[in-house]
Amino acid sequence: MERLVIIPTYNEKENIEAIITAVMGLKPEFEVLIIDDGSPDGTAAIVKNLMAGAFKGRLHLVERAGKLGLGTAYIAGFQWALEHQAEYIFEMDADFSHNPQDLLKLYDACANQGGDLAIGSRYITGVNVVNWPMGRVLMSYFASKYVRTVLGVAIRDTTAGFVCYKRHLLETIELDKIRFKGYAFQIEMKFTAYKCGAKIIEVPIIFVNRVLGTSKMSGGIFSEALLGVIRLKISSWFRKYPKL
């Protein structure tokens, strides 16, 4: 397995077939792993139908009992990817806030530009966010700036959820020591990659707010991230990180 896109889902029936179809239509080919947290709207059933049809062998599903958190969903996906010998492992949302075509940019950054981690960045060339309320744009932008300052990492979009990892980086990161379950998980993974000596490349993207379905973002999620980075920084003083 060369390229695997991990998409966590909870109640994404309006988007799931379209996003899978869009990713499956890319060249070179990608495989997709859906991590569904017991969606009561039937998201998993739609995926199973697609698995039995045109995408048989390239579409995969892990079903979990209830909402267990974004971070644990991705950790489960990473472990599945490593067990199935994926070489390039991607994180992506189901709601088209991330353009499937940009997967090719992330792949190129890792496969051809030497990146160990490629980040689809909203802020590397200014603020590239469409259809977000101004308050949310400012909250996200300054949250990333705050995280960058506290952790001392030269990453413009520290909370980005559209990324590509090379296999050897995920094998190096001690996934069992990743603690955050919400959106702070994204910060912790990038900081850990940085501490492991990864080459990190930010690729400019345009982030578009979802049209269908309901956002899972909340002010509490941002609060977790803002307070969590202080704990993350302090704990890093007492931890030895494995090196690539």
Side-chain angles (χ1 to χ4, degrees):
M1 183 182 297
E2 183 76 2
R3 293 163 292 274
L4 178 71
V5 181
I6 302 171
I7 304 178
T9 56
Y10 183 78
N11 286 349
E12 291 289 355
K13 68 177 183 179
E14 297 95 342
N15 294 302
I16 194 62
E17 182 170 356
I19 195 71
I20 290 171
T21 301
V23 173
M24 291 296 191
L26 297 172
K27 296 295 181 184
E29 289 188 347
F30 291 75
E31 296 191 30
V32 174
L33 172 63
I34 304 297
I35 310 288
D36 187 69
D37 272 7
S39 297
D41 72 345
T43 297
I46 296 171
V47 176
K48 289 175 183 176
N49 286 335
L50 295 172
M51 288 172 66
F55 306 133
K56 188 173 183 178
R58 292 175 57 203
L59 178 59
H60 316 279
L61 172 66
V62 171
E63 293 184 86
R64 307 198 305 167
K67 295 184 72 175
L68 302 176
L70 181 75
T72 64
Y74 274 126
I75 294 295
F78 294 156
Q79 291 168 339
W80 192 99
L82 294 176
E83 289 169 6
H84 290 80
Q85 308 302 313
E87 292 298 328
Y88 299 90
I89 299 99
F90 300 78
E91 295 181 8
M92 185 180 187
D93 290 348
D95 60 7
F96 283 94
S97 55
H98 304 139
N99 184 343
Q101 288 290 331
D102 288 336
L103 288 166
L104 301 175
K105 296 180 184 178
L106 297 178
Y107 173 62
D108 180 69
C110 285
N112 301 317
Q113 299 176 39
D116 301 302
L117 168 60
I119 300 170
S121 178
R122 297 163 291 185
Y123 307 127
I124 193 68
T125 57
V127 178
N128 293 310
V129 177
V130 177
N131 292 337
W132 261 9
M134 182 54 66
R136 187 170 170 186
V137 172
L138 293 173
M139 183 166 60
S140 176
Y141 177 80
F142 284 107
S144 271
K145 191 168 185 178
Y146 164 81
V147 171
R148 188 166 71 248
T149 302
V150 172
L151 296 182
V153 294
I155 299 172
R156 304 291 297 183
D157 195 347
T158 54
T159 60
F162 191 29
V163 301
C164 173
Y165 294 92
K166 271 187 180 172
R167 175 187 179 84
H168 71 162
L169 176 55
L170 288 182
E171 289 175 329
T172 301
I173 290 174
E174 296 167 310
L175 295 175
D176 60 333
K177 293 185 179 179
I178 300 298
R179 292 290 173 255
F180 290 115
K181 293 181 172 63
Y183 279 77
F185 163 82
Q186 302 291 5
I187 299 167
E188 186 175 8
M189 284 294 295
K190 292 177 185 66
F191 180 64
T192 305
Y194 167 79
K195 296 293 283 186
C196 289
K199 179 179 179 180
I200 301 172
I201 298 175
E202 287 191 82
V203 176
I205 65 160
I206 296 175
F207 181 96
V208 180
N209 195 29
R210 70 162 63 233
V211 174
L212 300 174
T214 304
S215 174
K216 316 305 186 295
M217 182 63 71
S218 70
I221 286 172
F222 271 103
S223 297
E224 176 206 42
L226 293 178
L227 295 173
V229 294
I230 298 174
R231 291 164 47 201
L232 188 59
K233 180 67 173 181
I234 293 171
S235 67
S236 73
W237 297 338
F238 306 99
R239 177 180 169 189
K240 184 175 181 179
Y241 291 84
K243 297 297 182 181
L244 281 174

